[in-house]
Amino acid sequence: MLSFLCPICGEKLKKNDFSYKCRNGHSFDISRKGYVNLLTTNGRNPQKAGDNKEMIRARSYFLDSGAYLPLAEMTGRLLGELCPKEGADIIDAGCGEGYYTCVYAKMLRGADIYGIDISKHGIDHAASRARNCEPKLSNVHLAVGSAFRLPFKSGVADAVVSTFAPVSNDEYSRVLRRGGKLVIVSPAPKHLFSLKALLYDKPYENEPNIYALGKFEHTDTKFLEYTAHIADSKTLKALFAMTPYYYKTSAKAASRLDSVNGLDIECAFEIRIYTAL
Ligand SMILES: [Zn+2]
């Protein structure tokens, strides 16, 4: 199991009942829900870092519909194949509200899953989610922190998984052991095309994702495509709120969603697997 590092001095943090402490006396409270905030302020307001409450709530509402469960399960299976050893340490970088984190933890009982996100609202939600899982999850470890400055020692992790989150060549290669795996989940060109067709007069496909990952070897790419039925406009609007189109769409176009009762959406994902050099 990995130790979190002190964000101030970089020493190992020791877990007590109510806090994490380093040997230099820096102390970080464990929240009532069981996570720790390791985000140092550096002049910014940590309350405002990352996704806000509404975004987290919308995403969680949508994900609870189960529309992306096939993706979570496929990624979980892949992680299990890539990290077969007992006690594997898997970092879910940019884990958001923890939906995927908890699916991985349920599927991979022998592994430890570390969910890190810069959004306190996200981690708070993830902690509730983990606590409400039945049977109990004891292998989820959550901290508020930056995916670009992960609170772990170098060369310790067996895998880093990043789902619709920013990707860091330097930081992910730093925390992974040599031969460790980086799994990047991103939307494929056709993803959500019918939603865009509803919103735009001229819908377009997503641009292919390009990653500059010089410290990794690209070992494999998997694709997952299926159709999910969104049954009601509330779920559809929650989906809309978590996409980049939300910010690019006029109110008039967005109001077209009001009259939609159900919609079949194309789910198209790309799962890329890289090996740390
Ligand atoms: Zn310290």
Side-chain angles (χ1 to χ4, degrees), residues 26-39:
H26 304 125
S27 176
F28 303 88
D29 291 345
I30 298 172
S31 80
R32 264 178 302 153
K33 291 183 186 172
Y35 66 91
V36 62
N37 189 344
L38 298 177
L39 195 63

Side-chain angles (χ1 to χ4, degrees), residues 234-257:
K234 189 175 175 194
T235 309
L236 192 62
K237 279 188 200 162
L239 169 63
F240 176 54
M242 65 192 250
T243 64
Y245 328 128
Y246 187 67
Y247 299 98
K248 296 181 197 159
T249 308
S250 70
K252 194 173 155 228
S255 71
R256 288 178 200 164
L257 297 178

Side-chain angles (χ1 to χ4, degrees), residues 184-196:
I184 301 178
V185 181
S186 56
K190 282 216 169 353
H191 188 55
L192 301 183
F193 194 80
S194 54
L195 177 64
K196 284 189 273 191

Side-chain angles (χ1 to χ4, degrees), residues 51-73:
D51 291 346
N52 65 36
K53 235 181 208 168
E54 288 67 39
M55 290 158 82
I56 294 295
R57 209 176 284 153
R59 197 182 311 148
S60 201
Y61 184 85
F62 171 76
L63 290 170
D64 281 336
S65 76
Y68 286 5
L69 184 60
L71 171 66
E73 290 182 337

Side-chain angles (χ1 to χ4, degrees), residues 6-13 21-28:
C6 174
I8 298 166
C9 68
E11 291 290 333
K12 227 186 228 179
L13 288 171
K21 280 194 175 86
C22 76
R23 63 175 186 184
N24 294 320
H26 304 125
S27 176
F28 303 88

Side-chain angles (χ1 to χ4, degrees), residues 129-257:
R129 195 180 267 288
R131 285 211 325 184
N132 292 332
C133 278
E134 277 304 333
K136 283 268 168 290
L137 295 175
S138 55
N139 57 339
V140 175
H141 315 280
L142 297 166
V144 183
S146 167
F148 291 87
R149 193 170 169 246
L150 291 165
F152 303 105
K153 257 171 57 179
S154 301
V156 289
D158 297 294
V160 172
V161 56
S162 166
T163 304
F164 310 130
V167 171
S168 169
N169 179 46
D170 289 342
E171 185 61 350
Y172 298 170
S173 93
R174 182 189 69 77
V175 292
L176 282 168
R177 62 173 171 76
R178 185 179 291 207
K181 303 295 177 182
L182 170 60
V183 176
I184 301 178
V185 181
S186 56
K190 282 216 169 353
H191 188 55
L192 301 183
F193 194 80
S194 54
L195 177 64
K196 284 189 273 191
L198 254 182
L199 296 167
Y200 305 128
D201 298 328
K202 284 188 193 147
Y204 52 90
E205 292 192 356
N206 301 317
E207 298 284 326
N209 303 288
I210 296 162
Y211 301 101
L213 293 167
K215 295 183 175 174
F216 293 87
E217 183 193 352
H218 182 192
T219 19
D220 202 1
T221 303
K222 309 272 186 199
F223 295 95
L224 175 64
E225 282 190 27
Y226 59 94
T227 304
H229 182 72
I230 306 299
D232 60 280
S233 72
K234 189 175 175 194
T235 309
L236 192 62
K237 279 188 200 162
L239 169 63
F240 176 54
M242 65 192 250
T243 64
Y245 328 128
Y246 187 67
Y247 299 98
K248 296 181 197 159
T249 308
S250 70
K252 194 173 155 228
S255 71
R256 288 178 200 164
L257 297 178

